[in-house]
Each structure stands twice: as structure tokens, then as C-alpha cells.
Amino acid sequence: MAGSAMSADARRYWLLKSEPHVFSIDDLKAQGKTPWEGVRNYQARNSMRDAMKVGDLAIFYHSSSDPSGAAGLAQVCSAPYPDPSQFDPKSPYYDEGSPREAPRWILVDVAFVEKFAALVPLAALKADPALKEMLVVQKGQRLSVQPVSPPHFARVLELAGSRRAAEVARG
DNA sequence: GCCAACGTTGGC
DNA sequence: GCCAACGTTGGC
């Protein structure tokens, strides 16, 4: 009991990938919040289902873009619930094998927090010695929902010139 | 557009 | 349970 409370309740940090031509940080800003639908990878789902908490912060990452990179900040704003798109035959994310009574795909809602003054390109993340171990800079890393360590998260915010950098670094 | 890396599927 | 084939991701 004693000693476990702090780590269990500590805010966690994430990175969410999105192709900006599908859904960008500007789209999130315009909508205010959105269900993070379409995740069809079990490891990414497990993060949303088991580990994310309301209030967690996430780097909003633009993938398959020119350039790709960290575009802004989002915040988890709901408990996990079934991704409605898995049951929608018209959705590109439809999964006919997902049972209604035991939905396969779970998501959370995320809210807009901040758009970085300038996108931090992947090349800049790769060039930073402090981010050498960060998942997103690793070769072949395709996971679309990634955990980010607090120091890495704080460093990305610092590179982005975010006013929240100091706050995050404090924990 | 190419292709390396990765996850999933399905035959055996 | 192995592993080849396949589909997808995503940087370049």
C-alpha cells in the first residue's frame, strides 16, 4: 500500500501519431476534442485501455508528412470505451470480427491543449542526444500510441518552446 | 514510389 | 508451434 500510491497515480506521458492529411493538430484545435478512433494494434489499444488516465498529456505527432514531427499537445479527457467505428460497416476502421458483447477495440477521447509555434521535425528529435532512447526516433518503430518518459516529454516541449516545459519537468 | 520493419494470418 | 506469405506503416 504505502509507496505504491505515488507511482500508480503519477501522470503518464504519451505520443499519438496521426497523418495530418487525415487528422491534424489544426483539426483537433478546431474540434476541441475527438475520439481517438481507428487504432487497430493491440499494444496501442492496451495502452489506451489499461494505462491512460484522464489528464495524461500526449505529444501530437504528424506522421507520413513533410516533414513529420511533433506538432502539438493533447490531453486524455475520457475513460476508455469501445471504438464505435469498429461496428460501422461504412467506416474504414470497420472490424466485422469484433463481437458487440466483447468489443475488440477500445479508445479514449483526447482534447486539444496546444499547437507548437513550430513543428519539431523528426530529424530534430533524432539529432538531440537527450532523445536517443525515445521510441519515436527508433528505426522501424511503428507503434501509433507510444509511452514517453517524463524526461523525454519535457525535452520535446523544451525543443518546441512550449510554456508547459517547466511544469512537465517538475512532474 | 521504394522498401525496411513489423504485425497478423493461415497452412502444415 | 513454426514460419512463409501477406498487408500495413512510415521514413526517405
Side-chain angles (χ1 to χ4, degrees):
Chain A
M1 197 71 189
S4 65
M6 185 148 79
S7 55
D9 294 338
R11 181 196 256 173
R12 299 187 191 207
Y13 299 101
W14 306 96
L15 179 145
L16 300 173
K17 288 184 189 171
S18 184
E19 300 187 22
H21 67 92
V22 177
F23 193 85
S24 72
I25 189 70
D26 290 320
D27 295 324
L28 183 61
K29 183 175 186 178
Q31 281 181 223
K33 66 173 192 168
T34 191
W36 202 251
E37 67 175 23
V39 171
R40 296 293 179 268
N41 168 281
Y42 289 105
Q43 199 178 341
R45 177 207 64 185
N46 292 350
S47 288
M48 291 197 287
R49 186 189 62 186
D50 304 332
M52 279 189 180
K53 301 291 180 221
V54 170
D56 283 0
L57 289 174
I59 293 159
F60 194 109
Y61 180 88
H62 284 176
S63 63
S64 297
S65 190
D66 189 21
S68 295
L73 266 188
Q75 187 162 36
V76 176
C77 67
S78 83
Y81 64 97
D83 181 343
S85 68
Q86 71 195 300
F87 301 123
D88 177 3
K90 293 189 293 295
S91 168
Y93 306 125
Y94 180 56
D95 181 357
E96 65 174 345
S98 179
R100 285 263 178 192
E101 65 282 6
R104 189 175 284 168
W105 305 112
I106 302 295
L107 54 63
V108 297
D109 292 346
V110 303
F112 175 82
V113 174
E114 172 182 347
K115 179 183 178 179
F116 295 150
L119 179 132
V120 183
L122 178 59
L125 302 178
K126 284 184 168 172
D128 193 313
L131 300 178
K132 209 173 179 60
E133 309 293 324
M134 193 178 180
L135 282 180
V136 76
V137 308
Q138 307 307 315
K139 185 176 183 182
Q141 180 52 259
R142 301 186 307 170
L143 192 59
S144 66
V145 177
Q146 303 182 358
V148 178
S149 75
H152 288 161
F153 200 93
R155 180 60 181 152
V156 172
L157 294 201
E158 202 178 341
L159 293 175
S162 168
R163 286 177 296 113
R164 284 164 214 275
E167 164 199 339
V168 168
R170 249 180 279 117

